[in-house]
Coordinates of all heavy atoms in Angstrom, one line a residue:
K1 N 1.1 -2.0 8.8 CA 0.4 -1.2 9.7 C -0.7 -0.3 9.0 O -1.6 0.2 9.6 CB 1.3 -0.3 10.6 CG 2.2 -1.1 11.5 CD 3.2 -0.2 12.3 CE 4.1 -0.9 13.2 NZ 5.1 -0.1 13.8
A2 N -0.5 -0.1 7.7 CA -1.4 0.7 7.0 C -2.8 0.1 7.0 O -3.8 0.8 6.7 CB -1.0 0.9 5.5
S3 N -2.9 -1.2 7.3 CA -4.2 -1.9 7.3 C -5.1 -1.4 8.5 O -6.3 -1.5 8.4 CB -4.0 -3.4 7.5 OG -3.3 -3.7 8.7
E4 N -4.5 -0.8 9.5 CA -5.2 -0.4 10.7 C -6.2 0.7 10.4 O -7.3 0.7 11.0 CB -4.2 0.0 11.8 CG -3.3 -1.1 12.3 CD -2.2 -0.5 13.3 OE1 -2.3 0.7 13.6 OE2 -1.4 -1.3 13.7
D5 N -5.9 1.6 9.5 CA -6.8 2.7 9.2 C -7.3 2.7 7.8 O -8.1 3.7 7.5 CB -6.0 4.0 9.5 CG -5.5 4.2 10.9 OD1 -6.3 3.9 11.8 OD2 -4.4 4.6 11.1
A6 N -7.0 1.7 7.0 CA -7.4 1.7 5.6 C -8.9 1.6 5.5 O -9.6 0.9 6.3 CB -6.7 0.6 4.9
V7 N -9.5 2.2 4.5 CA -10.9 2.1 4.1 C -11.0 1.8 2.6 O -10.1 2.1 1.8 CB -11.7 3.3 4.5 CG1 -11.6 3.6 6.0 CG2 -11.2 4.5 3.7
P8 N -12.2 1.2 2.2 CA -12.3 0.9 0.7 C -12.2 2.2 -0.1 O -12.7 3.3 0.2 CB -13.8 0.4 0.7 CG -14.1 -0.1 2.0 CD -13.3 0.8 3.0
G9 N -11.5 2.1 -1.2 CA -11.3 3.2 -2.1 C -9.9 3.9 -2.0 O -9.5 4.7 -2.8
Q10 N -9.2 3.6 -0.9 CA -7.9 4.2 -0.7 C -6.8 3.4 -1.5 O -7.1 2.4 -2.1 CB -7.5 4.3 0.8 CG -8.3 5.3 1.6 CD -7.8 5.4 3.0 OE1 -7.8 4.4 3.8 NE2 -7.4 6.6 3.4
F11 N -5.6 3.9 -1.5 CA -4.5 3.2 -2.1 C -3.3 3.3 -1.3 O -3.2 4.0 -0.3 CB -4.3 3.9 -3.5 CG -3.7 5.3 -3.5 CD1 -2.4 5.6 -3.6 CD2 -4.6 6.3 -3.4 CE1 -1.9 6.9 -3.6 CE2 -4.2 7.7 -3.4 CZ -2.8 7.9 -3.5
I12 N -2.2 2.5 -1.7 CA -0.9 2.6 -1.0 C 0.1 2.9 -2.1 O -0.1 2.5 -3.3 CB -0.6 1.3 -0.3 CG1 -0.6 0.1 -1.2 CG2 -1.5 1.1 0.9 CD1 -0.1 -1.2 -0.5
N13 N 1.2 3.5 -1.7 CA 2.4 3.6 -2.5 C 3.3 2.5 -2.2 O 3.7 2.2 -1.0 CB 3.1 4.9 -2.3 CG 2.6 6.1 -3.1 OD1 1.8 5.8 -4.1 ND2 3.0 7.3 -2.8
I14 N 3.8 1.7 -3.2 CA 4.8 0.7 -3.1 C 6.0 1.1 -3.8 O 6.0 1.5 -4.9 CB 4.3 -0.7 -3.6 CG1 2.9 -1.1 -3.0 CG2 5.3 -1.8 -3.4 CD1 2.4 -2.4 -3.5
F15 N 7.1 1.1 -3.0 CA 8.4 1.5 -3.6 C 9.2 0.4 -4.1 O 9.2 -0.7 -3.6 CB 9.2 2.3 -2.5 CG 8.6 3.5 -2.0 CD1 7.5 3.5 -1.1 CD2 9.1 4.8 -2.5 CE1 7.0 4.7 -0.7 CE2 8.5 5.9 -2.0 CZ 7.4 5.9 -1.2
S16 N 10.0 0.6 -5.2 CA 10.8 -0.3 -5.8 C 12.0 -0.6 -4.9 O 12.5 0.3 -4.2 CB 11.3 0.1 -7.1 OG 12.3 -0.7 -7.6
N17 N 12.5 -1.8 -4.9 CA 13.8 -2.1 -4.1 C 15.0 -1.7 -5.0 O 16.1 -1.9 -4.5 CB 13.8 -3.6 -3.8 CG 12.9 -3.9 -2.6 OD1 12.7 -3.1 -1.7 ND2 12.2 -5.1 -2.7
D18 N 14.8 -1.3 -6.2 CA 15.8 -0.8 -7.1 C 16.0 0.7 -6.9 O 15.1 1.5 -7.1 CB 15.4 -1.1 -8.6 CG 16.4 -0.6 -9.6 OD1 17.4 0.1 -9.2 OD2 16.3 -0.9 -10.8
G19 N 17.1 1.1 -6.3 CA 17.4 2.5 -6.0 C 17.3 3.5 -7.2 O 17.1 4.7 -7.0
S20 N 17.4 2.9 -8.4 CA 17.3 3.8 -9.6 C 15.9 4.2 -9.9 O 15.6 5.2 -10.7 CB 17.9 3.1 -10.8 OG 17.1 2.0 -11.2
K21 N 14.9 3.5 -9.3 CA 13.5 3.9 -9.5 C 13.0 4.6 -8.3 O 12.7 4.1 -7.3 CB 12.7 2.6 -9.7 CG 13.0 1.7 -10.9 CD 12.1 0.5 -11.0 CE 12.5 -0.3 -12.2 NZ 13.7 -1.1 -12.0
L22 N 13.0 6.0 -8.4 CA 12.8 6.8 -7.2 C 11.3 6.9 -6.9 O 10.9 7.0 -5.7 CB 13.4 8.2 -7.5 CG 14.9 8.3 -7.7 CD1 15.3 9.7 -8.0 CD2 15.6 7.7 -6.5
L23 N 10.4 7.0 -7.9 CA 9.0 7.2 -7.6 C 8.3 5.9 -7.3 O 8.5 4.8 -7.9 CB 8.3 7.8 -8.9 CG 8.8 9.2 -9.3 CD1 8.1 9.7 -10.5 CD2 8.6 10.2 -8.1
P24 N 7.4 6.0 -6.3 CA 6.6 4.8 -5.9 C 5.5 4.5 -6.9 O 5.2 5.4 -7.8 CB 6.1 5.1 -4.6 CG 5.9 6.6 -4.7 CD 7.1 7.1 -5.5
R25 N 4.9 3.3 -6.8 CA 3.8 3.0 -7.7 C 2.6 3.0 -6.8 O 2.5 2.2 -5.8 CB 4.0 1.6 -8.3 CG 4.7 1.6 -9.7 CD 6.1 2.2 -9.6 NE 6.8 2.1 -10.9 CZ 8.0 2.6 -11.1 NH1 8.6 3.3 -10.1 NH2 8.6 2.6 -12.3
P26 N 1.6 3.8 -7.2 CA 0.3 3.8 -6.4 C -0.6 2.7 -6.9 O -0.8 2.5 -8.0 CB -0.3 5.2 -6.8 CG 0.2 5.5 -8.1 CD 1.6 4.8 -8.2
I27 N -1.1 1.9 -5.9 CA -1.9 0.7 -6.2 C -3.1 0.7 -5.3 O -3.0 0.8 -4.1 CB -1.1 -0.6 -6.1 CG1 0.1 -0.6 -7.1 CG2 -2.1 -1.8 -6.5 CD1 0.9 -1.8 -7.0
S28 N -4.3 0.6 -5.8 CA -5.5 0.6 -5.1 C -5.6 -0.6 -4.1 O -5.1 -1.7 -4.5 CB -6.7 0.6 -6.0 OG -6.8 1.8 -6.8
I29 N -6.2 -0.4 -3.0 CA -6.5 -1.5 -2.1 C -7.6 -2.3 -2.5 O -8.7 -1.8 -2.8 CB -6.7 -0.9 -0.6 CG1 -5.5 -0.2 -0.1 CG2 -7.1 -2.0 0.3 CD1 -5.7 0.7 1.1
C30 N -7.4 -3.6 -2.5 CA -8.5 -4.6 -3.0 C -9.2 -5.1 -1.8 O -10.4 -5.2 -1.8 CB -7.8 -5.7 -3.8 SG -9.0 -7.0 -4.3
E31 N -8.4 -5.6 -0.7 CA -9.1 -6.1 0.5 C -8.3 -5.7 1.7 O -7.1 -5.4 1.6 CB -9.1 -7.6 0.4 CG -10.1 -8.2 -0.6 CD -10.2 -9.7 -0.4 OE1 -9.3 -10.4 -1.0 OE2 -11.2 -10.2 0.2
I32 N -9.0 -5.6 2.8 CA -8.4 -5.1 4.1 C -8.8 -6.2 5.1 O -9.9 -6.6 5.3 CB -9.0 -3.8 4.5 CG1 -8.8 -2.7 3.5 CG2 -8.5 -3.3 5.9 CD1 -9.7 -1.5 3.7
D33 N -7.8 -6.7 5.8 CA -8.0 -7.6 6.9 C -7.3 -7.0 8.2 O -6.1 -7.2 8.4 CB -7.4 -9.0 6.6 CG -7.8 -10.1 7.6 OD1 -8.0 -9.7 8.8 OD2 -7.8 -11.2 7.2
K34 N -8.1 -6.3 8.9 CA -7.6 -5.6 10.1 C -7.2 -6.7 11.2 O -6.2 -6.4 11.9 CB -8.6 -4.7 10.7 CG -8.9 -3.5 9.7 CD -9.9 -2.5 10.4 CE -10.3 -1.4 9.4 NZ -9.2 -0.6 8.9
A35 N -7.9 -7.8 11.3 CA -7.5 -8.8 12.3 C -6.1 -9.4 12.0 O -5.4 -9.6 12.9 CB -8.6 -9.9 12.3
Q36 N -5.8 -9.6 10.7 CA -4.5 -10.2 10.4 C -3.5 -9.1 10.1 O -2.3 -9.4 10.0 CB -4.7 -11.1 9.1 CG -5.6 -12.3 9.3 CD -5.0 -13.3 10.3 OE1 -3.8 -13.5 10.3 NE2 -5.9 -13.8 11.1
G37 N -3.9 -7.9 10.0 CA -3.0 -6.8 9.8 C -2.4 -6.8 8.4 O -1.2 -6.5 8.2
T38 N -3.3 -7.1 7.4 CA -2.8 -7.2 6.0 C -3.7 -6.4 5.1 O -4.9 -6.1 5.3 CB -2.8 -8.6 5.5 OG1 -4.2 -9.2 5.6 CG2 -1.9 -9.5 6.3

């Protein structure tokens, strides 16, 4: 759903599925496809 409001230059936090890794990894957005929601 983050694709709905995303603009070039923003980033997302992606969280590990490993509970021992508490902090997310910030990764810049490369492409936005609002029609596909990706």
Side-chain angles (χ1 to χ4, degrees):
K1 292 178 183 177
S3 63
E4 296 174 4
D5 298 316
V7 298
Q10 290 185 299
F11 66 97
I12 59 174
N13 272 350
I14 304 180
F15 293 80
S16 170
N17 287 321
D18 179 352
S20 68
K21 299 182 180 73
L22 299 179
L23 294 178
R25 273 56 178 179
I27 303 180
S28 297
I29 295 169
C30 175
E31 288 187 281
I32 303 164
D33 190 331
K34 294 185 186 295
Q36 296 297 319
T38 60

